[in-house]
Amino acid sequence: MTRFTWAIVAALALAPPLVVRAQEPAGTVRDQTVEDLPAHPGREETFGLCTACHAYRLVSNQGMSRERWDETLTWMTERQNMPDIQGPERALILDYLATAHPPKAPSRTGGFQNPFAPQ
Ligand code: HEC
C-alpha cells in the first residue's frame, strides 16, 4: 500500500469514534419527544407534522394566537413546502397550537409593553 492509502485507512479507522462523540456532545439539550408536550387533542398529529422538517422546539419556543398560528401554517406551506393541511385536520392542529402554545405575555393594553417595567 502507498502512504496515501494508509492515510485513508487510518482516517477510516479513526472516524467512527468521532462520529459517536459528535452525536452526544456534553451538555446538549435533549430534543423534545411527544410526551414532553402538553396533552391536548391533536398533540400527536401536530408533533408528527412539524417534526417532519424541524425540531419541535422551533414551534414550542413560540407563543401565538390561533390566527397567528394559522398564518404560520400558511407560511410553512407556501414557503417551506409543508403539505397543505385543510379542513378538520387543520382545525385540530390549530386548536392544539393555540391551546398548548398561546401568546406568552398577553398584552392587556394591546400595545407596546416595557419589558423592564416593574410588574
Ligand atoms: C416541509 C417542511 C416543514 C414543515 C412540515 C414544517 N416546517 Fe416550520 N419551518 C420549516 C423551515 C425550513 C423553517 C425555517 C425557516 C426560516 O428560518 O427561514 C421553519 C421554521 C418554523 C418556525 C420558526 C419561525 C421563526 O420565526 O423562526 C416556526 C414557528 C415553524 N416553523 C412552525 C411550524 C409548525 C407549527 C409546523 C407544523 C404544523 C411546521 N413548522 C412544519 C419547514 C417546515
Side-chain angles (χ1 to χ4, degrees), residues 45-62 64 69 72-73 75-77 79-83 85 93 97:
E45 289 83 352
T46 307
F47 186 83
L49 176 65
C50 309
T51 58
C53 289
H54 50 67
Y56 196 79
R57 207 168 287 282
L58 226 57
V59 178
S60 60
N61 277 347
Q62 308 276 338
M64 295 192 254
W69 279 120
T72 303
L73 292 200
W75 177 52
M76 286 297 126
T77 300
R79 302 300 297 276
Q80 321 295 352
N81 292 322
M82 188 180 86
I85 309 283
I93 282 162
L97 290 170

Side-chain angles (χ1 to χ4, degrees), residues 16 19 26-27 30 35 40 42 46 53 62 74 91 97-98 110 117:
V19 170
R30 190 177 58 92
E35 286 80 24
H40 301 292
T46 307
C53 289
Q62 308 276 338
T74 304
L97 290 170

Side-chain angles (χ1 to χ4, degrees), residues 38 40 59-66 68-69 94-106:
H40 301 292
V59 178
S60 60
N61 277 347
Q62 308 276 338
M64 295 192 254
S65 65
R66 202 174 190 280
R68 293 283 311 283
W69 279 120
L94 284 176
D95 286 346
Y96 182 78
L97 290 170
T99 311
H101 314 295
K104 276 174 189 151

Side-chain angles (χ1 to χ4, degrees), residues 1-11:
M1 283 201 231
T2 64
R3 200 176 290 189
F4 180 68
T5 316
W6 275 114
I8 292 176
V9 171

